[in-house]
Amino acid sequence: MGRLFVTRRLPIDVRAETAPELDVAVFGEDRAPTRAELIDGARGSQAILTLVSDPVDGALLDALPSVRHVAQVAVGYDNVDVAACRARGVLVTHTPDVLTDATADLTWALLLAVARRVREGEALLRSGRFGGWSPTMLLGVELAGRTLGLYGFGRIGRAVARRARGFGMRIVYCSRSRAPAALEAALEAEAVSFDALLSRSDVISLHAPLSEATRGRFGAAELAAMRPGAILVNTSRGPLVDEAALAAALARGHLFGAGLDVFEREPEVHPALLERDDVVLLPHLGSATEAARQRMARTALTDAVRVLLGEAPRHPIPELS
Ligand code: DGY
């Protein structure tokens, strides 16, 4: 039937969930394989199940000429050189939808943690320095009546907006394409220009894929154009934000705080951000619920098996569908 190489241990038993005639190999260690390990492990495979931490480029594909399908276990696939895949007739699939709620929940966890200074409160208590309730201790930002600005208004941006309704926030969004009028009406979401997003939002949350158009989109000038005392949350991709510029904007007191789940040079974090109390940092946990990660694995695996059986995949990336 064919051979499938999985680049990391997944939260499902891949072998048990596939037909015995499919030869499945899984990279045995709980870290990303090196390039040499990936080539070694995937040699002779028709499909590889990849993660955001696996760069897939022309050189890799040339070293693995049997590979006809890259099944990415993530919705984002900026680690995959799509042009190189297209040039070699290699199919790319991904896992949209199945992690939307998990990522929207984590966005709100970060937003609330920053606005209500949860990290600082926890640290204070654990340090033994909490001397009792104080009317002026660790005062945060109230969200009701404030404006949430969404940069990107796809599945995850919209799910974040639905949750914002429960917090009584006004919603504005800036996106490549306008959402259907019925959806805008249901969420009371207003489409605005990028400049208006910066100047009107009390919280800006990023939900756009990484591309040449979005890389570095939140640099020094854009951060300076945000409202004084605003909050920035990023659960999309790190390189959308210039981390040095963000640290500088925080240091001069222009922003209230930031919540980051993704990093410009992941897994590295800018040292100036690590030192700050007004920043909440998480290790790329957006989709990290057991259910979401299992659905992601199954979605990618199902498409890999379908393609090996000569069927059309259910989730080709938009550029190749
Ligand atoms: C994705 O699906 O793109 C996430 O970043 C992986 O958790």
Side-chain angles (χ1 to χ4, degrees):
M1 185 176 167
R3 185 172 194 270
L4 170 68
F5 181 67
V6 186
T7 64
R8 191 79 75 94
R9 195 162 54 79
L10 297 176
I12 61 170
D13 185 343
V14 179
R15 284 194 191 83
E17 296 203 18
T18 46
E21 47 288 17
L22 179 68
D23 180 8
V24 179
V26 181
F27 181 66
E29 295 180 44
D30 204 10
R31 61 170 173 84
T34 63
R35 172 60 55 113
E37 288 169 333
L38 209 167
I39 292 173
D40 208 36
R43 194 166 285 119
S45 301
Q46 284 70 49
I48 43 177
L49 253 66
T50 54
L51 303 175
V52 291
S53 42
D54 301 317
V56 177
D57 53 23
L60 179 77
L61 298 173
D62 289 342
L64 295 169
S66 61
V67 169
R68 309 313 303 149
H69 178 191
V70 174
Q72 168 87 345
V73 189
V75 64
Y77 46 88
D78 47 278
N79 56 305
V80 179
D81 181 338
V82 173
C85 290
R86 191 190 286 119
R88 291 161 182 79
V90 172
L91 179 70
V92 184
T93 55
H94 67 146
T95 64
D97 300 315
V98 294
L99 47 78
T100 300
D101 286 322
T103 308
D105 286 351
L106 191 94
T107 302
W108 273 92
L110 272 177
L111 201 176
L112 288 167
V114 176
R116 299 306 303 274
R117 306 179 66 173
V118 168
R119 200 183 78 79
E120 291 164 273
E122 237 258 338
L124 177 75
L125 201 71
R126 286 181 191 269
S127 72
R129 287 183 288 109
F130 174 48
W133 189 88
S134 152
T136 55
M137 185 176 60
L138 291 178
L139 303 184
V141 171
E142 198 157 295
L143 296 175
R146 299 294 187 100
T147 298
L148 171 65
L150 297 163
Y151 179 69
F153 203 52
R155 300 175 193 84
I156 298 172
R158 293 171 192 189
V160 171
R162 279 198 295 279
R163 286 155 176 75
R165 305 268 296 143
F167 284 89
M169 295 189 82
R170 266 190 299 276
I171 299 157
V172 298
Y173 75 91
C174 169
S175 182
R176 272 175 308 185
S177 51
R178 185 92 187 252
L183 185 87
E184 282 188 355
L187 294 175
E188 293 183 52
E190 183 189 347
V192 296
S193 67
F194 185 60
D195 286 349
L197 183 90
L198 296 176
S199 64
R200 286 178 55 184
S201 305
D202 299 297
V203 175
I204 294 186
S205 188
L206 276 44
H207 302 288
L210 176 62
S211 67
E212 281 324 301
T214 62
R215 186 180 292 276
R217 193 71 176 106
F218 288 80
E222 293 76 17
L223 295 166
M226 283 175 67
R227 290 176 77 92
I231 292 172
L232 184 78
V233 176
N234 189 8
T235 55
S236 60
R237 284 295 183 263
L240 270 67
V241 177
D242 177 336
E243 285 179 5
L246 175 62
L250 290 161
R252 61 173 194 276
H254 180 60
L255 301 180
F256 181 79
L260 306 176
D261 186 42
V262 287
F263 303 95
E264 209 177 346
R265 278 172 282 277
E266 206 168 304
E268 280 169 43
V269 181
H270 194 291
L273 293 175
L274 284 170
E275 285 167 11
R276 299 203 62 83
D277 287 336
D278 50 7
V279 181
V280 179
L281 304 164
L282 293 177
H284 205 144
L285 294 180
S287 61
T289 67
E290 195 171 358
R293 289 280 167 86
Q294 288 180 342
R295 285 193 298 263
M296 290 161 70
R298 289 198 175 102
T299 302
L301 184 62
T302 303
D303 264 347
V305 172
R306 285 176 69 87
V307 173
L308 286 170
L309 291 171
E311 294 167 19
R314 292 213 173 92
H315 303 284
I317 59 168
E319 292 95 317
L320 299 182
S321 60

